[in-house]
């Protein structure tokens, strides 16, 4: 008896086996037409009635299979009779292990077949989807975990509540407040702003801050040259304006870089790709190459910026912008999970949002699917007055780390000549709809005299 038939026999006769493996089996894993049709009948019966079918019930159902020839029905009935007469028990552990291996092999075969179709120009997927198809097939396993048992696993849940999650903190007070002291690993974080407001400046400042903390950073640019990105980070870390940086003698510049090397144990790699040509396939390959050649693994990844990346799964022009940009966002978040790092990127405001003093998620350029995927989504807002004050307003649009209504808006300082962000005085935070707590009233003293209360008025 073939393995496929042994699996089907036990799906009919062994309830424990059925409930363990049926969620992972697919009809296209059965190459033989009769086996595939019989499996579909068994699986359909279990899903509909929540119990295994009898052989008599299956024999009746087989007669009603649409589009099947008389010979096919006859062969299925003969198989059913053979399975029914076979009463020899099967070792369950061996069978589960063999079924898992069967699923893995068939999934890999199907993935290779689909990959060949993609190479021949068939289907809507790009060649970039081939690694995902193969990795998904290789990742198939019979996971025994079917969910969290609320009552039985209360102690595990309590440990989770009190587990200290590793985060990358900011050097900006209000960003630490809204994220509970930094962004966690395996997250996608997005900053949105209009043209020239400071998206790249924000990413460069974060890079400099992480480097000062001794962290490794990978900065991927699809807009600026590698040297231009490094120039901005030079201005930030060396605390020098662009103009002065250009006039700095070589020996002094080298001394400043040597001093910086002594201050931090972190490393920074800046990698440039042509606009709209690189996807997570290229980023993943770069990360593996850096690990092999330089023993470098980042603690954070900056991608400047998301909208000019390519999708690894969807062909440009085939899908609409919503689907395409959402696909890129999902792939970047998957990269963050795979390499256990936070990913930072940026996106543009729409034309209407650029002129607005109160942009929201609907003002996201090209795709509302981007903020739906992000863990933290913030907007940078400016106007002529704020530019004169060298300030920029930050608005929380989405925050999975904290209540976004707390400190919903706040102000930070910005020095474009040095590519720096900094904290401003508390008086600058007096914003309507900021979500910040009101200051507590100052109590007045009772002196028992004519002026019963002394002190400042509340």
């Amino acid at each position: 008896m073939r393995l496929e038939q042994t699996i089907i026999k036990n799906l009919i006769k062994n309830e424990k086996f059925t409930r363990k493996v049926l969620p992972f089996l697919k009809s296209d894993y059965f190459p033989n037409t009769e086996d595939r049709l019989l499996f579909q009948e068994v699986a359909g019966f279990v899903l509909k009635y929540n119990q295994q079918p009898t052989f008599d019930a299956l024999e009746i159902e087989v007669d009603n299979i649409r589009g099947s020839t008389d010979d096919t029905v006859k062969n299925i009935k003969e198989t059913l009779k053979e399975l029914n007469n076979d009463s020899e028990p099967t070792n369950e552990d061996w069978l589960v292990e063999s079924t898992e291996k069967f699923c893995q092999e068939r999934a890999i075969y199907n993935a290779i077949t689909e990959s060949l179709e993609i190479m021949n120009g068939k289907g809507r997927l790009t060649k970039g989807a081939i690694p995902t198809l193969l990795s998904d097939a290789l990742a198939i396993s019979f996971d025994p975990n079917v969910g969290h048992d609320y009552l039985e696993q209360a102690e595990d849940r309590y440990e989770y509540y009190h587990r200290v999650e590793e985060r990358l903190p900011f050097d900006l007070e209000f960003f630490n407040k809204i994220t509970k002291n930094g962004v966690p690993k395996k997250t996608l974080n997005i900053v949105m702003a209009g043209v020239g407001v400071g998206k790249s400046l924000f990413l460069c400042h974060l890079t400099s801050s992480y480097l000062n903390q001794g962290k490794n950073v990978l900065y991927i640019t699809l807009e600026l040259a590698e040297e231009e990105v490094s120039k901005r980070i030079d201005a930030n870390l060396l605390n020098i304006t662009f103009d002065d940086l250009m006039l700095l003698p070589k020996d002094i510049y080298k001394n400043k870089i040597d001093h910086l090397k002594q201050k931090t144990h972190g490393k920074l790699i800046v990698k440039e790709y042509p606009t709209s040509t690189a996807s997570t396939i290229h980023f993943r390959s770069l990360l593996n190459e850096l690990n092999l050649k330089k023993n470098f693994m980042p603690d954070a990844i900056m991608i400047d910026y998301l909208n000019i990346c390519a999708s690894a799964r969807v062909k440009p022009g085939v899908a609409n912008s919503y689907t395409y940009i959402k696909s890129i966002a999902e792939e970047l978040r998957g990269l963050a999970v795979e390499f256990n790092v936070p990913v930072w990127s940026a996106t543009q405001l729409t034309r209407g949002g650029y002129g607005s003093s109160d942009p929201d998620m609907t003002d996201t350029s090209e795709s509302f699917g981007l903020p739906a995927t992000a863990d933290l989504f913030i907007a940078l807002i400016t106007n002529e007055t704020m530019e004169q004050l060298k300030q920029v307003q930050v608005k929380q649009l989405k925050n999975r780390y904290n209540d976004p209504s707390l400190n919903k808006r706040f102000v930070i300082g910005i020095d474009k000549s040095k590519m720096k962000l900094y904290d401003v005085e508390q008086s600058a935070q007096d914003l309507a709809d900021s979500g910040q707590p009101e200051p507590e009233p100052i109590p007045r003293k009772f002196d028992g005299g004519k002026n019963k209360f002394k002190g400042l008025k509340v």
Side-chain angles (χ1 to χ4, degrees):
M1 185 178 293
R2 293 179 289 109
L3 178 61
E4 292 91 327
Q5 292 181 334
T6 303
I7 292 172
I8 293 172
K9 181 192 81 171
N10 282 273
L11 288 175
I12 301 170
K13 293 185 174 184
N14 187 334
E15 182 180 2
K16 185 178 178 182
F17 171 78
T18 301
R19 298 195 181 279
K20 187 177 291 185
V21 307
L22 188 59
F24 304 99
L25 286 166
K26 296 181 180 179
S27 59
D28 57 6
Y29 290 171
F30 295 85
N32 181 280
T33 302
E34 287 84 3
D35 292 341
R36 183 167 60 252
L37 291 173
L38 183 53
F39 168 77
Q40 289 173 346
E41 292 300 321
V42 174
F45 191 98
V46 173
L47 292 173
K48 185 175 182 179
Y49 299 105
N50 195 29
Q51 65 180 39
Q52 294 160 283
T54 63
F55 283 95
D56 290 339
L58 285 173
E59 193 167 347
I60 294 171
E61 291 295 330
V62 165
D63 285 325
N64 299 323
I65 296 177
R66 294 181 179 180
S68 297
T69 63
D70 292 340
D71 288 341
T72 299
V73 173
K74 180 181 177 182
N75 291 336
I76 294 175
K77 287 185 175 182
E78 288 178 356
T79 300
L80 276 173
K81 189 177 294 185
E82 182 181 347
L83 298 179
N84 192 16
N85 292 332
D86 183 10
S87 58
E88 184 178 350
T90 307
N91 182 281
E92 189 174 309
D93 292 337
W94 172 87
L95 183 58
V96 170
E97 185 177 333
S98 298
T99 305
E100 182 177 23
K101 186 178 179 182
F102 166 77
C103 290
Q104 291 169 344
E105 291 176 350
R106 294 306 306 172
I108 293 170
Y109 176 85
N110 291 343
I112 293 173
T113 302
E114 189 173 355
S115 299
L116 290 173
E117 291 181 357
I118 293 172
M119 294 296 295
N120 292 328
K122 299 178 181 179
R124 65 187 293 271
L125 297 177
T126 66
K127 294 177 182 178
I130 293 175
T132 302
L133 290 173
L134 293 173
S135 62
D136 288 347
L138 290 168
I140 287 178
S141 65
F142 287 4
D143 185 1
N145 181 21
V146 293
H148 177 77
D149 190 317
Y150 177 78
L151 295 177
E152 296 299 324
Q153 294 181 275
E155 189 173 336
D156 294 340
R157 190 165 63 252
Y158 181 85
E159 294 298 327
Y160 169 79
Y161 292 159
H162 295 82
R163 188 183 308 146
V164 178
E165 188 174 23
E166 187 177 350
R167 294 170 180 257
L168 282 184
F170 298 86
D171 59 353
L172 299 165
E173 178 187 0
F174 273 89
F175 275 99
N176 281 327
K177 284 184 178 180
I178 67 172
T179 59
K180 295 184 178 179
N181 204 37
V183 293
K185 297 180 178 181
K186 301 182 181 181
T187 57
L188 176 63
N189 308 278
I190 302 293
V191 57
M192 178 172 69
V195 178
V197 174
K199 298 186 300 298
S200 295
L201 184 153
F202 185 91
L203 296 179
C204 286
H205 177 86
L206 277 185
T207 299
S208 303
S209 172
Y210 290 155
L211 200 58
N212 272 329
Q213 295 176 43
K215 304 298 183 183
N216 291 339
V217 186
L218 173 62
Y219 194 113
I220 295 172
T221 171
L222 296 99
E223 185 175 40
L224 299 169
E226 294 170 358
E227 295 79 8
E228 283 299 316
V229 173
S230 299
K231 175 183 174 183
R232 293 169 180 230
I233 294 171
D234 266 344
N236 184 297
L237 288 174
L238 304 182
N239 195 30
I240 188 171
T241 65
F242 282 144
D243 292 339
D244 290 340
L245 182 62
M246 296 299 98
L247 300 174
L248 202 65
K250 184 176 181 180
D251 58 337
I252 297 178
Y253 173 77
K254 187 176 181 303
N255 287 338
K256 286 181 175 289
I257 294 297
D258 289 341
H259 180 67
L260 183 62
K261 286 180 182 178
Q262 296 173 2
K263 282 175 57 180
T264 179
H265 299 293
K267 292 183 179 181
L268 169 62
I269 301 293
V270 182
K271 174 62 179 175
E272 176 188 3
Y273 289 99
T275 302
S276 299
T277 62
S279 69
T280 50
I281 295 172
H282 302 84
F283 306 156
R284 186 177 291 106
S285 176
L286 172 64
L287 285 161
N288 291 330
E289 193 172 357
L290 285 170
N291 188 26
L292 286 172
K293 292 182 177 180
K294 289 180 171 286
N295 193 27
F296 173 91
M297 285 301 291
D299 297 296
I301 299 175
M302 308 289 165
I303 298 177
D304 192 5
Y305 60 96
L306 187 145
N307 295 66
I308 52 177
C309 292
S311 170
R313 299 177 296 173
V314 181
K315 291 180 181 178
V318 173
N320 55 35
S321 62
Y322 173 91
T323 302
Y324 192 72
I325 299 300
K326 188 174 190 296
S327 176
I328 295 172
E330 290 170 347
E331 291 160 16
L332 290 181
R333 195 174 191 282
L335 189 76
V337 173
E338 180 180 349
F339 287 90
N340 194 33
V341 295
V343 169
W344 278 95
S345 192
T347 189
Q348 299 270 21
L349 279 165
T350 60
R351 185 182 301 176
Y354 182 69
S356 172
S357 62
D358 188 29
D360 56 30
M361 286 194 286
T362 59
D363 293 309
T364 308
S365 176
E366 297 186 274
S367 177
F368 188 72
L370 170 52
T373 307
D375 296 285
L376 178 67
F377 196 77
I378 59 172
L380 302 181
I381 309 165
T382 190
N383 53 41
E384 290 185 6
T385 302
M386 298 196 78
E387 286 178 357
Q388 292 173 1
L389 294 172
K390 292 188 176 182
Q391 294 176 352
V392 64
Q393 183 188 143
V394 181
K395 180 182 178 183
Q396 295 188 67
L397 300 178
K398 180 182 179 182
N399 189 345
R400 286 178 175 162
Y401 317 135
N402 206 348
D403 182 355
S405 65
L406 299 175
N407 300 301
K408 184 176 182 180
R409 300 168 185 268
F410 55 92
V411 172
I412 56 175
I414 182 169
D415 185 348
K416 292 187 176 181
S417 67
K418 294 183 179 180
M419 302 303 290
K420 276 183 176 289
L421 301 171
Y422 54 90
D423 292 320
V424 297
E425 295 180 357
Q426 182 63 33
S427 58
Q429 306 298 339
D430 187 18
L431 298 171
D433 191 30
S434 67
Q436 296 177 36
E438 295 290 332
E440 293 184 3
I442 301 173
R444 292 174 290 175
K445 296 179 180 179
F446 181 77
D447 66 358
K450 186 175 181 181
N451 275 333
K452 295 184 178 180
F453 293 97
K454 291 183 179 180
L456 296 174
K457 293 183 179 180
V458 179

